[in-house]
């Protein structure tokens, strides 16, 4: 991340100088700061909502029963998570929210899953393989029907906006498989 | 597709009912419990905020600097040679960086090239099959304070690149069958 952040900033400054866009560059910094605050406030709301709900299912013991239920599916990929650990449930809920395109639930439940996985982490500041797997699957964005995209296509008069559903599923599954496979290959070569 | 839409609409209300009803049966003080869980969100979002700030100012300034136009110029030869509409370049670069900006780029492509054009269809599939990678990285890693990311970022960037190639290939193939 350090290299990428450094490159983005340096490239942006160099291009602003060349293109004479220094004023726009400075303005964009403050715009970025503003949207960070706006997005954080939005996150605060939905994360609070889902942490409240997941607290209830933890307190009632439902989370362990769900973990037992989901375990066969999740444990194939996530081998290091102990039996009936809450992480199994939060990971499954995060995946379900992604598949059904529920973005406002997917991110908070992903954060919850990261917290649950962090409780199994021996080195607090180093990412674990399970966390990487969770993040990689999330960035591959497995989604059955992209409702927003279909909405825009039909707004502009598409006769058959649902045509994109099958290529989207095909592309998203192929790229998710590639991403997960790459992660497992990297694990072999980099310890 | 209607069924999926219906399930999507039902899943959250049903889950919340299950959580609250099961809690009530197990004699959990559901209201107090909800509030104490929700309280933790403040510290989580406080942890995430500086990471988000760093990502957002980098991405916004990158967009404002004109580097995007340069990248478009750089790739336009390649895309023309492969018979891929050059509009897709902006989509491919913006999608991993910013959700709102990629939605704007997508809407613009649909508006200018029409909803049935191959540029719109490829962009639609990229919109649906790729994710704003750097936002996800900032939020997920920031939430638990991870600093050493090992090979995670390399895998994400490589997968984004391949994901976009897959999206283009899939649409071009299916489009040719139409």
């Amino acid at each position: 991340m350090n290299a990428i952040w450094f490159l983005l900033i340096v490239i942006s400054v160099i291009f602003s100088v060349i293109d004479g866009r220094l004023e726009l560059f400075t303005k964009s910094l403050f715009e970025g700061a503003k949207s960070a605050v706006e997005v954080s406030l939005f996150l605060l709301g939905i994360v609070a909502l889902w942490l409240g709900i997941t607290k209830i299912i933890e307190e009632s013991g439902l989370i362990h029963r769900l973990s037992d239920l989901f375990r066969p599916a999740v444990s194939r990929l996530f081998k290091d998570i102990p039996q009936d650990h809450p992480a199994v449930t939060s990971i499954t809920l995060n995946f379900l929210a992604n598949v059904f395109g529920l973005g406002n639930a997917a991110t908070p439940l992903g954060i919850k899953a990261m917290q649950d996985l962090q409780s199994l982490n021996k080195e607090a500041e180093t990412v674990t393989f399970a966390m990487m797997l969770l993040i990689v699957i999330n960035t591959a964005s497995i989604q059955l029907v992209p409702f927003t995209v279909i909405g825009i296509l039909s707004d502009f008069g598409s006769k058959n906006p649902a045509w994109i559903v099958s290529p989207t599923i095909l592309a998203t599954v192929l790229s998710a498989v590639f991403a997960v496979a790459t992660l497992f290959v990297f694990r072999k070569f980099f310890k | 597709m209607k069924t999926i839409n219906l399930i999507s609409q039902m899943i959250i209300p049903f889950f919340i009912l299950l959580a609250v009803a099961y809690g009530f049966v197990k004699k959990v003080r559901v209201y107090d419990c909800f509030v104490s869980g929700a309280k933790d969100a403040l510290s989580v979002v406080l942890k995430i905020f500086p990471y988000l700030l760093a990502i957002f100012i980098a991405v916004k300034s990158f967009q404002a600097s004109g580097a995007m136009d340069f990248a478009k110029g750089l790739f336009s030869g390649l895309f023309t040679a492969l018979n891929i509409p050059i509009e897709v370049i902006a989509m491919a670069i913006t999608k991993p960086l910013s959700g709102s900006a990629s939605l704007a780029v997508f809407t613009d492509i649909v508006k200018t090239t029409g909803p049935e054009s191959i540029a719109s269809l490829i962009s639609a599939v990229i919109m649906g099959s790729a994710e704003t990678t750097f936002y996800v990285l900032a939020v997920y890693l920031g939430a638990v304070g991870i600093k050493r990311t090992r090979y995670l970022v390399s895998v994400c960037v490589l997968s984004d690149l391949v994901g976009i190639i897959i999206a283009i290939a899939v649409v071009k193939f299916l489009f040719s069958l139409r």
Side-chain angles (χ1 to χ4, degrees):
Chain A
M1 284 310 277
N2 284 306
I4 290 175
W5 197 74
F6 172 80
L7 276 177
L8 278 174
I9 297 282
V10 171
I11 291 173
S12 305
V13 175
I14 292 172
F15 273 96
S16 314
V17 173
I18 297 172
D19 294 350
R21 297 200 191 189
L22 281 172
E23 211 172 315
L24 276 172
F25 174 85
T26 313
K27 214 177 121 200
S28 71
L29 288 181
F30 299 120
E31 268 173 27
K34 195 175 136 206
S35 31
V37 173
E38 286 165 358
V39 170
S40 297
L41 277 179
F42 175 69
L43 269 180
L44 178 62
I46 55 172
V47 171
L49 167 64
W50 285 102
L51 288 185
I53 294 293
T54 49
K55 185 83 175 179
I56 297 177
I57 67 170
E58 278 172 359
E59 204 76 9
S60 64
L62 182 60
I63 199 160
H64 295 293
R65 301 194 60 174
L66 289 174
S67 289
D68 272 346
L69 186 72
F70 296 143
R71 193 173 161 76
V74 175
S75 64
R76 277 169 201 279
L77 271 177
F78 293 84
K79 294 213 164 67
D80 326 328
I81 302 174
Q83 201 110 32
D84 86 353
H85 191 272
V88 175
T89 298
S90 49
I91 290 169
T92 313
L93 293 177
N94 165 259
F95 287 176
L96 284 176
N98 271 315
V99 167
F100 288 101
L102 309 167
N104 290 347
T107 309
L109 291 167
I111 290 172
K112 178 78 177 73
M114 285 297 287
Q115 291 177 328
D116 291 339
L117 289 175
Q118 181 72 344
S119 73
L120 296 167
N121 190 358
K122 290 182 192 82
E123 295 167 77
E125 290 193 341
T126 306
V127 74
T128 63
F129 187 74
M131 288 175 176
M132 291 200 270
L133 197 49
L134 175 75
I135 293 174
V136 162
I137 294 173
N138 267 279
T139 55
S141 162
I142 301 175
Q143 193 185 1
L144 286 181
V145 181
F147 293 106
T148 322
V149 170
I150 292 178
I152 292 171
L153 285 176
S154 70
D155 281 350
F156 283 95
S158 169
K159 287 182 204 82
N160 184 15
W163 185 82
I164 61 139
V165 172
S166 39
T168 303
I169 293 177
L170 188 59
T172 207
V173 168
L174 285 177
S175 55
V177 168
F178 174 84
V180 171
T182 310
L183 187 66
F184 275 96
V185 170
F186 270 58
R187 178 162 72 166
K188 281 235 152 84
F189 290 100
F190 306 93
K191 275 291 153 185
Chain B
M1 207 176 87
K2 280 218 178 86
T3 336
I4 294 169
N5 196 0
L6 192 68
I7 296 173
S8 306
Q9 283 171 3
M10 280 171 54
I11 193 164
I12 287 180
F14 176 78
F15 182 74
I16 297 212
L17 176 68
L18 175 73
V20 176
Y22 190 88
F24 190 80
V25 170
K26 291 277 166 180
K27 299 195 171 61
V28 173
R29 295 170 62 90
V30 283
Y31 175 75
D32 296 332
C33 193
F34 177 84
V35 171
S36 84
K39 202 177 62 191
D40 297 339
L42 259 177
S43 63
V44 176
V45 175
L46 270 181
K47 268 194 218 159
I48 296 172
F49 175 71
Y51 292 90
L52 269 188
L53 180 73
I55 291 291
F56 280 19
I57 60 165
V59 168
K60 287 263 181 194
S61 59
F62 183 75
Q63 287 168 333
S65 68
M68 191 81 90
D69 299 326
F70 178 76
K72 272 187 224 167
L74 206 64
F75 288 111
S76 67
L78 178 71
F79 273 59
T80 322
L82 293 171
N83 200 17
I84 303 162
I86 47 167
E87 288 88 352
V88 175
I89 303 170
M91 193 70 234
I93 300 173
T94 317
K95 185 63 203 182
L97 296 174
S98 159
S100 55
S102 58
L103 195 60
V105 170
F106 172 63
T107 311
D108 189 54
I109 291 173
V110 179
K111 202 193 280 176
T112 51
T113 66
E116 313 278 345
S117 75
I118 187 152
S120 296
L121 295 176
I122 292 175
S123 308
V125 172
I126 292 177
M127 278 298 286
S129 68
E131 186 54 81
T132 46
T133 306
F134 290 101
Y135 171 77
V136 173
L137 284 171
V139 169
Y140 282 40
L141 296 173
V144 289
I146 297 285
K147 292 200 175 64
R148 278 182 295 277
T149 55
R150 294 159 75 190
Y151 42 88
L152 173 63
V153 181
S154 319
V155 173
C156 287
V157 172
L158 181 65
S159 304
D160 273 344
L161 188 67
V162 173
I164 282 160
I165 296 170
I166 290 174
I168 296 172
V170 165
V171 176
K172 287 213 64 141
F173 175 69
L174 291 175
F175 198 76
S176 68
L177 297 179
R178 275 224 294 201

